[in-house]
Amino acid sequence: MSEQTAEQATSPTRRVVVVGAGMAGVQTAVALREQGFRGAVTVIGAEPHQPYDRPPLSKAVLLGKAEDSAFDVDFESLGVELRLGCEVFALRLAERELDTEAGPVPYDVLVLATGAEPITLPGTEGVPGVHLLRTLDDAERLRPVLERQHDIVVVGAGWIGAEFATAARQAGCAVTVVEAADRPLAGVLPAEVAAPMAAWYADSGAVLRTDARVEHVESGAVVLADGTRLPAGAVVVGIGARPATRWLAGSGIELGAHGEVLADARLRTGAEDVYAVGDCASFPSARYGERLLVHHWDNALQGPRTVAANILGETSSVYDPVPYFWSEQFGRFVQYAGHHAGADRLVWRGDPAGPAWSVCWLRDGRLVALLAVGRPRDLAQGRRLIEAGRPMDAAALADPARPLKAATAD
């Protein structure tokens, strides 16, 4: 990079505007300051609340153990302007302006970090007692529901459905989870891996009904396609999320099949000086040979460092992480690292009927993904092995008494 270009990148007159005040947006602002950006930084958030972390919403906040989960970030000392409770309606690339509730906002560099929004269950709009769990307001509406120990029906046995069911059982609620597929986490994990997790619901006192499609929801009940009527003081819908990008329609920003912003390996969009990061964006992974759309906290934490480095332009930074996430459900700590879609072999470590076990996925003899239940050391070592691309000895890998790092083939 030339000295002139570097000076332009860090110029105090240059303005970066970040749309989205969640983890990805906030960490982009923090990373810009940490890496020496001297220009103006503005973060625009649609919610009126001080920016907050989402994982505690389904745990401590929901159970009343914490009032909120605001980020411990001093925006004033960082020189970051927050515009909260301000919805962005449109992007005009030619003018380098955003249309917002408060009027147009110009930018020199734009970062799209709008995250994802929950998918609603058709026909539930306006039905009393139907809830989503994505925002602080959602959690605050659900907290008294748990306190009153309502009979609750959860629609969807994915990660968020399991986490909410866990909290509801801890609060003493009767919980029934209905899942259209034949097992929990059907769209995420292979059948043989997800199958043992079905028993966790019964262990906790929750009822799991698979192959159960919702016909309609009415006040006080969920009616299934087979005619079964489930009493419900409250209904919580957890059937997935999609990138919150509908406001970009017609803007010239290219969107993918799932509505996500198509970013390149440096998290740049096809538009000049426009980046995308977090749940709203997909990126090409050389490690896995495909484009990844990762809806997890760690991606929103790590990606902003790459965005900030490329905005500053002092080095060319490529984003190709080993995806990672965790879930706390039914007394178990579940962690996952990697991406198993292209794997050609699956290796078990331990008994899936027990309290602690792991599953490893290999491709061409190398570890590409790992799911660990109650085995955090497997996860930590496995994540490093995936990053290093080390070949593995499958027989040694299958011995749960042997450290994962000692199961390499070289």
Side-chain angles (χ1 to χ4, degrees), residues 35-46:
Q35 295 181 32
F37 182 73
R38 294 180 290 132
V41 177
T42 299
V43 176
I44 302 176

Side-chain angles (χ1 to χ4, degrees), residues 149-202:
Q149 298 187 334
H150 279 295
D151 289 351
I152 296 175
V153 173
V154 179
V155 182
W159 298 116
I160 192 64
E163 290 186 0
F164 177 80
T166 298
R169 286 298 301 137
Q170 289 176 0
C173 300
V175 178
T176 299
V177 180
V178 295
E179 169 58 51
D182 62 352
R183 62 189 186 277
L185 296 167
V188 182
L189 296 174
E192 61 189 304
V193 177
M197 298 178 177
W200 298 357
Y201 289 79

Side-chain angles (χ1 to χ4, degrees), residues 162-392:
E163 290 186 0
F164 177 80
T166 298
R169 286 298 301 137
Q170 289 176 0
C173 300
V175 178
T176 299
V177 180
V178 295
E179 169 58 51
D182 62 352
R183 62 189 186 277
L185 296 167
V188 182
L189 296 174
E192 61 189 304
V193 177
M197 298 178 177
W200 298 357
Y201 289 79
D203 291 346
S204 75
V207 175
L208 173 64
R209 299 180 64 121
T210 55
D211 295 307
R213 293 190 174 274
V214 175
E215 177 65 28
H216 68 271
V217 178
E218 57 191 50
S219 180
V222 173
V223 180
L224 303 182
D226 65 2
T228 301
R229 183 184 177 89
L230 302 174
V235 178
V236 177
V237 178
I239 56 174
R242 60 182 164 222
T245 57
R246 284 182 285 185
W247 66 282
L248 289 169
S251 67
I253 296 293
E254 187 178 3
L255 303 179
H258 302 284
E260 82 280 14
V261 178
L262 296 177
D264 68 9
R266 292 171 175 79
L267 299 182
R268 302 172 301 192
T269 72
E272 185 180 10
D273 290 323
V274 180
Y275 296 79
V277 64
D279 290 6
C280 72
S282 65
F283 56 90
S285 169
R287 185 191 310 277
Y288 291 105
E290 62 181 282
R291 179 169 285 274
L292 300 183
L293 175 59
V294 181
H295 281 187
H296 293 297
W297 184 90
D298 192 66
N299 178 52
L301 175 67
Q302 304 295 340
R305 298 169 190 165
T306 297
V307 170
N310 287 317
I311 289 173
L312 284 156
E314 294 171 356
T315 60
S316 182
S317 182
V318 170
Y319 189 60
D320 195 6
V322 173
Y324 166 75
F325 71 89
W326 80 96
S327 176
E328 296 176 70
Q329 52 183 271
F330 308 119
R332 293 165 174 84
F333 187 44
V334 184
Q335 295 174 283
Y336 178 96
H339 180 65
H340 66 267
D344 52 36
R345 185 169 185 178
L346 185 151
V347 179
W348 290 89
R349 284 171 60 81
D351 181 0
W357 48 275
S358 297
V359 176
C360 300
W361 285 271
L362 304 178
R363 184 179 65 207
D364 299 328
R366 300 177 188 274
L367 189 66
V368 293
L370 176 113
L371 175 80
V373 178
R375 292 181 66 98
R377 184 173 297 179
D378 275 7
L379 190 287
Q381 294 179 8
R383 193 175 184 182
R384 289 193 290 268
L385 291 167
I386 296 169
E387 289 172 345
R390 297 282 295 277
M392 306 298 295

Side-chain angles (χ1 to χ4, degrees), residues 45-70:
E47 294 183 56
H49 309 291
Q50 191 74 2
Y52 61 87
D53 204 4
R54 293 191 187 277
L57 297 183
S58 61
K59 306 171 184 70
V61 175
L62 187 60
L63 291 170
K65 297 177 181 178
E67 287 303 312
D68 59 40
S69 55

